[in-house]
Amino acid sequence: MTEQPIRTAAPQTAQTPPAFGDALRRLRRAAGLSQEELAERATLSWRTISDLERGIKRKPQQETFRLLADALALSPAERAALDAVARGRTPGQYVTVSPPSDTIVPSALPRSLASDNLPAAMTPLIGRDDDVRAVIVLLQNRQTRIVTLVGAGGVGKTRLALATATAARPDFADGVYFVSLGAVRDADLLLFVIAQSLGIQEVAGQSPRERVRHFIHDRRILLVLDNFEHLRSEAPEVSGLLASCPHMAILVTSRAALRVIGEQEYAVAPLALPALDVTDLTAFAAIPAAALFCQSATAVRPGFQLTLENAAAVAAICARLDGLPLAIELAAARIRLFTPSALLARLDGTQDGATLHMLSDGRNDAPARQRTMRDAIAWSYYLLDATAQSLFRRMSVFWGGWTLDAAVTVGASDEMTALDGLTALVDASLVRAADGAEGEPRFGMLGTIREFARELLTGSGEAESLRHAHAAYFLALAEGASNSAGSETEVLFAQLTVEHDNLRAVLRRSHADGNASYGLQMAGALWRFWQASGHLTEGRRWFDIFLSLDDATGTLTPPRVRARALTGAGMLAYRQADYTRAADLHEESLPLYGALADQIGIADALNALGILATERGEYARATAMHTEALTLRRALNQQWGVGTSLNNLGTIARDQGDYLLAAQRFDESLAIHRSLGDTYGTALALANFAVTLHFRGESERAIEMLNESLMLRRRIGDTRGCAIALNRLGDILLAGGDITAALTHYEEGRIAAVSAGDTREQAFALMGVGDVARTQGEYTVAEMHYCDSMRHWRTIRHTTGTGDCFDRLAQIAAMQGEWHRAARLF
């Protein structure tokens, strides 16, 4: 194929210069590129390419022209000819490309200097496409004169500003200028540095302010002011510049907003995090935090590859670093020495400062404040006044965030001091604020920032007293929830859910200090919350730790604290069907309560022992214990306890086939719990009442009650209760012939039971799935599920459940004519 002249579709004359858009389109097509591909290769926006080709923009800026010519890989002659077209001149010669096209581009003319000074990006910007688009929209709004990118140190504000400024070039005909302020220590030099960046020569008798304003005046310019946080005192100068230059816009990066008229803050968040369970490597590698880690790791170790074996560790590293780009880049630099799993282990090290120590291998060409994560945070910290610095250190005692009330009680002298200090910390991007319960603010720190603050707290000499204040605050919160009743309980349990990390921190410190008494006091206050929220395994673990520690230290815990802890540990053991352990714990608690003449404690122990007796089929003993507990609770006017005892007596009546008496007791229990606004007790009574109604043939009403119970359980996060409701619904639906719905409920019930660590309900669900299979004639599948169910029943030594599975297996054997096997099973 021979080369052809590049010509336009219509002949051009000296009086009608060829259109730049037509020339660009044909050169792009000759290069085999779409508009999007050319835009990506030229680091321009797709809109810029589109507007040029359609003639909306008749000629490009010089820097835009350079980027396009480079992206199209034009020869010197082609570049010169296209430059002439861009200037609207008549072509003096033809130039050719291969493959052929029909566009004419003119001869070369000298280029002018670029009208901006933006630094070129050395690596691709990851995960910020939406941010770039959003900030450009703000800049295009002529009512928004200044946009400030606000975020923590290392979040990537500068990179985002450069990418945005590059993409926004077409909207600023007179140039885009970058002003680096990180090294400027004297605030009075702000306008002098701006003048230098604009290339303005000094003029005798003119101040930098006058020179800058005269130069910009009515030009359409975008000014990028990078790292402004330490120059906030000069914010009025920026505001004055905007007032005198009506067509300019300013893009600022700062850890704190300028707080001037016309400013629009844009919060720069950390990168999106990948899920910790990795199944699709391609999708995983596209998540911004993971993509940045891999890019940075490959830069220091070219052979690094993401695999299913190391992806989970990479995800955990990104999560540990809160998706903070600088932290991820610094961590990935360690890949030259460590595997991802080894790096994660060091980041999670128990030694103070372990994470910050690992995040210290920054680039030599980076600003000093960004060569280590510690330096990046310290830059913001040392811009604070002494009061804010003190509060910053003290707030590191919290885990997972805190409220204003917690800040006042634990770390500040009064509410106004706390409020002013937290406002300063939020402004400095050292603390994040979000809406909490009932619109009250909730505060928190990124993990690396908190570690820096904790180092400062340790060195301040205040750490021990702050930890005691922190523990006392959350113990009081837990005990308040434990002693609550009715609707108040649901509110307080929701608060405990939010504060779970702080509660765990108190338990961890008690364990580390060998303080069994404090640990048992906290665990004893939390057991009802752990039960309601499905944290059974975690709660039992803490009880085991502190009871063992108490035994090892000679049982120094006050009897009342130990007795209460024994009750909580026993109830959680019962919920996981560990009946032997539960009985031992409650048997130990009863005499302790007796010696203390603690009537409430005695009733609680009797109630628990009565439940265990019911499980063993010892109905006479169970009835006696629940009746005694009911009498004590009525004498104490403990309505919540009365409702619970009635519910337990109803269970005994139902198990013995007295459905009328059972319904009466459940009805009375339900009325009490409803009157108290007690969601947990109401849900429990509804479920038990529903099963009784089903046995009486009132299945429709039973289904309504179970659905209400399920709704309430979900509202309070009671996973175990959800499993119970789902499994009982499965039983009723299967009995009514709705096999598909029954199977769905059993499967959801099993998942909930696994999540709650409830072996008993897992066994129920598996047996239900087996019943569905047997109903459908899938005997092999049914036998498999019955055997699985039996293993669970045997784990908790539940003879009735084990026997039910044997009966079902025998029935299948008989139905298949295997009489000898059926006989053995029966």
Side-chain angles (χ1 to χ4, degrees):
M1 180 180 294
T2 59
E3 290 187 338
Q4 299 288 333
I6 307 177
R7 295 184 180 276
T8 55
Q12 301 295 319
T13 69
Q15 292 72 32
T16 308
F20 178 83
D22 290 339
L24 176 63
R25 181 184 300 108
R26 284 165 174 76
L27 285 168
R28 172 178 62 78
R29 289 175 177 173
L33 297 174
S34 66
Q35 288 184 343
E36 292 82 358
E37 290 168 335
L38 177 57
E40 181 178 0
R41 184 178 292 186
T43 66
L44 296 169
S45 69
W46 165 82
R47 177 182 168 183
T48 298
I49 308 297
S50 176
D51 286 355
L52 286 169
E53 290 191 358
R54 289 183 295 155
I56 294 176
K57 292 184 182 296
R58 299 187 62 81
K59 63 180 181 177
Q61 296 180 35
Q62 286 298 315
E63 179 62 11
T64 301
F65 173 84
R66 182 185 66 78
L67 292 170
L68 287 169
D70 289 348
L72 290 166
L74 299 183
S75 68
E78 291 170 335
R79 183 185 294 257
L82 185 62
D83 184 57
V85 173
R87 296 170 183 275
R89 305 203 179 175
T90 304
Q93 67 177 35
Y94 294 107
V95 296
T96 57
V97 298
S98 181
S101 181
D102 61 350
T103 303
I104 296 176
V105 293
S107 59
L109 288 171
R111 295 182 64 230
S112 65
L113 295 176
S115 60
D116 62 49
N117 65 343
L118 290 181
M122 302 301 290
T123 56
L125 182 63
I126 293 175
R128 297 298 191 191
D129 291 349
D130 290 343
D131 292 306
V132 169
R133 283 190 286 267
V135 178
I136 286 177
V137 169
L138 293 175
L139 290 172
Q140 288 173 338
N141 182 355
R142 294 300 181 99
Q143 302 304 312
T144 303
R145 302 295 309 284
I146 178 170
V147 178
T148 303
L149 306 182
V150 180
V155 80
K157 301 181 293 296
T158 299
R159 292 290 308 281
L160 174 58
L162 287 171
T164 302
T166 300
R169 274 184 174 122
D171 295 310
F172 295 91
D174 297 304
V176 179
Y177 294 89
F178 183 82
V179 184
S180 178
L181 300 172
V184 179
R185 294 294 181 265
D186 187 345
D188 291 337
L189 294 176
L190 173 63
L191 287 169
F192 178 79
V193 175
I194 292 176
Q196 279 189 325
S197 299
L198 290 169
I200 305 172
Q201 300 297 319
E202 291 193 39
V203 178
Q206 277 192 340
S207 67
R209 178 186 298 108
E210 291 169 332
R211 284 187 282 123
V212 170
R213 294 185 180 186
H214 178 74
F215 176 84
I216 297 175
H217 189 46
D218 61 354
R219 287 185 169 97
R220 178 64 174 159
I221 281 177
L222 174 63
L223 198 61
V224 182
L225 302 181
D226 187 45
N227 289 115
F228 198 90
E229 57 272 352
H230 59 300
L231 303 174
R232 291 177 71 200
S233 62
E234 294 301 297
E237 287 285 9
V238 176
S239 185
L241 189 59
L242 287 169
S244 60
C245 304
H247 302 298
M248 78 173 301
I250 298 179
L251 179 61
V252 178
T253 74
S254 178
R255 302 185 189 188
L258 276 62
R259 302 291 173 84
V260 295
I261 295 175
E263 179 184 32
Q264 173 65 57
E265 294 182 40
Y266 187 88
V268 183
L271 296 176
L273 294 170
L276 295 179
D277 52 332
V278 184
T279 55
D280 184 341
L281 277 182
T282 302
F284 176 84
I287 303 299
L292 178 61
F293 184 93
C294 293
Q295 173 186 286
S296 303
T298 304
V300 299
R301 188 175 179 178
F304 175 79
Q305 288 188 336
L306 186 68
T307 66
L308 285 174
E309 288 69 32
N310 64 25
V314 170
I317 289 169
C318 294
R320 175 69 178 80
L321 302 177
D322 298 303
L324 204 60
L326 177 60
I328 292 172
E329 289 174 345
L330 292 171
R334 298 289 188 178
I335 288 296
R336 62 166 61 93
L337 297 178
F338 301 105
T339 64
S341 58
L343 175 58
L344 176 61
R346 282 161 176 80
L347 290 173
D348 284 339
T350 56
Q351 183 178 356
D352 282 347
T355 298
L356 291 177
H357 176 73
M358 295 299 291
L359 305 180
S360 59
D361 192 18
R363 304 187 326 270
N364 291 329
D365 62 346
R369 67 184 179 279
Q370 291 187 338
R371 292 177 190 171
T372 75
M373 200 63 222
R374 183 180 278 105
D375 290 339
I377 302 167
W379 171 262
S380 295
Y381 172 75
Y382 289 114
L383 294 175
L384 301 170
D385 62 29
T387 302
Q389 286 181 350
S390 175
L391 190 65
F392 174 67
R393 294 191 301 268
R394 293 178 174 189
M395 294 302 95
S396 69
V397 76
F398 293 102
W399 292 78
W402 65 91
T403 61
L404 179 60
D405 178 66
V408 172
T409 305
V410 175
S413 56
D414 57 73
E415 182 170 311
M416 287 308 299
T417 300
L419 190 58
D420 290 344
L422 288 170
T423 300
L425 294 176
V426 170
D427 284 347
S429 298
L430 288 170
V431 164
R432 296 186 295 179
D435 291 337
E438 299 180 358
E440 285 293 311
R442 183 168 182 82
F443 305 93
M445 293 181 186
L446 295 174
T448 50
I449 294 176
R450 185 185 177 280
E451 184 167 318
F452 177 82
R454 192 168 63 237
E455 284 184 0
L456 297 174
L457 180 64
T458 301
S460 71
E462 296 181 301
E464 196 61 27
S465 62
L466 263 293
R467 286 168 185 159
H468 283 305
H470 175 271
Y473 179 85
F474 286 104
L475 177 61
L477 185 68
E479 289 189 325
S482 178
N483 296 324
S484 65
S487 57
E488 182 188 16
T489 302
E490 185 177 339
V491 173
L492 291 173
F493 278 8
Q495 191 173 353
L496 292 183
T497 298
V498 174
E499 300 292 2
H500 210 165
D501 285 338
N502 280 306
L503 299 170
R504 288 167 173 147
V506 175
L507 292 166
R508 284 196 303 271
R509 288 194 202 113
S510 299
H511 183 211
D513 295 342
N515 194 337
S517 179
Y518 207 93
L520 287 174
Q521 191 175 357
M522 176 62 89
L526 286 173
W527 77 263
R528 284 181 60 203
F529 163 69
W530 282 330
Q531 173 183 265
S533 57
H535 296 287
L536 304 178
T537 300
E538 180 183 358
R540 290 191 67 188
R541 174 178 168 273
W542 285 118
F543 276 122
D544 288 345
I545 285 172
F546 289 116
L547 287 171
S548 298
L549 181 60
D550 196 37
D551 292 339
T553 55
T555 316
L556 300 176
T557 299
R560 190 179 303 278
V561 172
R562 184 173 175 92
R564 190 180 185 191
L566 289 166
T567 295
M571 289 305 299
L572 297 188
Y574 162 71
R575 293 302 182 193
Q576 288 196 316
D578 190 349
Y579 301 134
T580 301
R581 176 63 174 160
D584 290 342
L585 292 163
H586 290 305
E587 293 286 0
E588 183 184 346
S589 73
L590 186 56
L592 288 176
Y593 285 127
L596 293 166
D598 184 341
Q599 300 300 302
I600 293 177
I602 291 170
D604 288 343
L606 288 168
N607 178 75
L609 290 168
I611 292 172
L612 291 168
T614 302
E615 288 292 339
R616 292 191 293 264
E618 300 170 0
Y619 295 121
R621 183 167 179 262
T623 300
M625 287 181 166
H626 284 310
T627 301
E628 185 178 353
L630 178 61
T631 301
L632 287 171
R633 286 167 163 173
R634 279 179 167 156
L636 294 165
N637 195 29
Q638 189 193 40
Q639 288 302 300
W640 176 86
V642 170
T644 300
S645 292
L646 287 167
N647 177 79
N648 293 333
L649 286 167
T651 300
I652 295 171
R654 185 189 64 203
D655 288 354
Q656 291 182 305
D658 191 342
Y659 300 136
L660 179 60
L661 177 60
Q664 291 172 351
R665 287 173 171 170
F666 289 138
D667 192 31
E668 190 176 351
S669 173
L670 179 59
I672 291 172
H673 288 300
R674 282 197 192 279
S675 69
L676 293 172
D678 177 16
T679 303
Y680 182 85
T682 299
L684 181 64
L686 281 167
N688 283 322
F689 201 170
V691 173
T692 303
L693 291 173
H694 172 58
F695 289 159
R696 292 174 58 179
E698 301 178 45
S699 295
E700 288 187 8
R701 189 178 170 202
I703 290 174
E704 290 177 4
M705 283 189 166
L706 280 170
N707 279 322
E708 183 183 356
S709 177
L710 179 60
M711 180 269 294
L712 294 174
R713 303 277 199 181
R714 284 174 170 161
R715 192 173 80 189
I716 61 175
D718 181 7
T719 310
R720 175 182 179 272
C722 289
I724 293 172
L726 287 163
N727 286 337
R728 303 305 171 269
L729 278 167
D731 291 342
I732 297 174
L733 291 166
L734 181 61
D738 193 343
I739 295 174
T740 301
L743 180 60
T744 298
H745 282 79
Y746 284 135
E747 289 176 340
E748 290 183 11
R750 185 185 63 80
I751 292 170
V754 170
S755 177
D758 191 316
T759 305
R760 176 190 174 113
E761 289 305 318
Q762 289 179 57
F764 266 123
L766 288 165
M767 194 158 60
V769 174
D771 288 343
V772 170
R774 185 179 63 168
T775 301
Q776 294 176 316
E778 298 175 357
Y779 299 129
T780 301
V781 175
E783 287 180 336
M784 178 184 70
H785 284 98
Y786 289 147
C787 289
D788 282 347
S789 177
M790 189 186 302
R791 280 192 287 272
H792 284 77
W793 289 122
R794 282 176 168 169
T795 298
I796 59 176
R797 300 177 183 177
H798 197 290
T799 55
T800 302
T802 302
D804 288 342
C805 287
F806 270 123
D807 288 346
R808 284 166 164 79
L809 289 168
Q811 291 168 11
I812 290 176
M815 292 170 69
Q816 293 179 314
E818 300 176 9
W819 303 109
H820 292 294
R821 185 162 75 93
R824 287 197 305 272
L825 290 168
F826 277 123

